[in-house]
Amino acid sequence: MTILKKLAIMGGATVFAIAAMPGMAQNLNLHTFAGRNSAVIGPVPHLLAERVETFTGGEVKIKVFDPGDLVPAIQHYDAVSQGSVDAAFGAAGFEVSKNSAYDFVSAIPFGPQAPEYYAWIFNGGGLELAQKFYARDNIYWYPCGNVVAETGGWFKQPLSGVDDLAGMSMRFAGLGSKVFAKLGVSTQLMGGGEIYQAIELGTIDAAELSFPANDRSAGLPEVVKHNYFPGWHQQQAINELLVNLDSWNGLSDGAKEAIHVSCKAAILETMAEGEATQFAALEQHVADGVTLHTYPQDWLDTFHATWLEVVEEEKAANPDWARMWESFSEFRARYKLWADRAYLPRN
């Protein structure tokens, strides 16, 4: 099959035209873990579907299903692996029970911001390692959206010290949950749509979810009034597209490239929109009576020291995790030579 790619830059705008030879349409069902109204993240799978159909001239049609229509919000991994769901838009942090190494293509405590993170993913070996691990379960993995820095957590009452965390029940996703667990927190993983009710009913005492605009979408400022920063556990995160590997292999080269290009566009768009919308959300938080707090440096030092304990435990527990850490750490060490010299500190 001949694949035509045309990249034109006109007045600062980038236009992609990818043409595939006409053939029988392929229909894919796509589960999404976030509702369409979820700030920044929600529209991504719908735009993906529109673009792929356009770029392939109708060769591939993707139908997007909301959380719960096919499977519960964050329980799509096995369905994609087995092929009962063709594809899913999600986040690797929800899949670490399958392989803890998936943490590295989700979010890393005290990790990099977007430019460095995507440099490692696309040019430092992260993509190849992730795809190798997912392929064991018959899944094709690709990054498909950016998540800006999260907040550091929502609490009913202000914290007087790290010791206040002990005994709390808190919704927490990803590796940060293991740090807080070592500090005495009972961490629970649940979808964003479940958090409001869980706090209201007292099932959990506190929660971390996402960036401020998305926290507003979930209604958190209505039920908790103390929001802590920075999101040390997630300075940057990645959304993903999972495709059943048999379904992926059945796509034409042109269709695969259309999906890749659409996902890369989603990364850029969600990065820009995410950064542009958080200060307005924070302003509205304050207007709604939310108090914004900053973790003292000594608390962050405690979180970081505890994180290094988690690193050693995870490396020992899973050779895949150790391989990811080696690749990630080596890249960051070399990148530092550039980063420390190239960029001005923010004034």
Side-chain angles (χ1 to χ4, degrees), residues 127-155:
L127 179 66
E128 291 78 9
L129 283 171
Q131 290 181 338
K132 175 183 177 180
F133 298 153
Y134 275 90
R136 295 173 184 163
D137 286 335
N138 200 40
I139 293 173
Y140 181 81
W141 182 88
Y142 204 76
C144 202
N146 184 77
V147 183
V148 296
E150 287 194 352
T151 78
W154 290 82
F155 299 89

Side-chain angles (χ1 to χ4, degrees), residues 82 112 202 258 277:
Q82 296 160 8
T277 53

Side-chain angles (χ1 to χ4, degrees), residues 119-326:
W120 173 67
I121 291 288
F122 286 112
N123 298 97
L127 179 66
E128 291 78 9
L129 283 171
Q131 290 181 338
K132 175 183 177 180
F133 298 153
Y134 275 90
R136 295 173 184 163
D137 286 335
N138 200 40
I139 293 173
Y140 181 81
W141 182 88
Y142 204 76
C144 202
N146 184 77
V147 183
V148 296
E150 287 194 352
T151 78
W154 290 82
F155 299 89
K156 294 179 179 178
Q157 302 295 332
L159 304 174
S160 60
V162 173
D163 291 345
D164 286 357
L165 296 170
M168 281 191 180
S169 177
M170 184 175 183
R171 186 273 185 190
F172 216 127
L175 282 166
S177 67
K178 297 188 177 183
V179 173
F180 265 27
K182 290 177 76 69
L183 295 172
V185 178
S186 174
T187 61
Q188 300 185 35
L189 181 61
M190 61 182 66
E194 303 172 70
I195 298 173
Y196 183 105
Q197 186 175 28
I199 292 175
E200 197 172 42
L201 295 176
T203 306
I204 57 176
D205 305 309
E208 64 78 40
L209 175 59
S210 190
F211 46 83
N214 205 23
D215 288 349
R216 291 196 66 78
S217 297
L220 296 191
E222 299 175 24
V223 287
V224 271
K225 296 297 184 181
H226 296 275
N227 193 196
Y228 278 74
F229 293 83
W232 56 271
H233 62 294
Q234 183 174 307
Q235 286 288 282
Q236 162 67 36
I238 297 169
N239 285 135
E240 64 183 6
L241 179 70
L242 304 183
V243 185
N244 174 269
L245 194 55
D246 296 325
S247 297
W248 177 259
N249 290 336
L251 297 174
S252 68
D253 289 344
K256 291 175 182 176
E257 187 66 6
I259 291 171
H260 287 161
V261 168
S262 298
C263 281
K264 287 178 177 177
I267 290 170
L268 176 60
E269 290 164 348
T270 50
M271 187 185 305
E273 183 181 357
E275 294 291 352
T277 53
Q278 301 321 308
F279 51 86
L282 289 179
E283 290 167 347
Q284 192 58 52
H285 281 2
V286 173
D288 289 344
V290 172
T291 301
L292 306 179
H293 302 266
T294 299
Y295 284 125
Q297 185 59 50
D298 61 321
W299 299 19
L300 292 173
D301 291 343
T302 298
F303 299 159
H304 187 258
T306 309
W307 158 239
L308 294 180
E309 295 175 13
V310 171
V311 168
E312 294 307 313
E313 293 169 358
E314 294 297 314
K315 284 166 59 179
N318 182 356
D320 289 346
W321 204 99
R323 180 68 189 93
M324 279 287 209
W325 176 256
E326 178 185 21

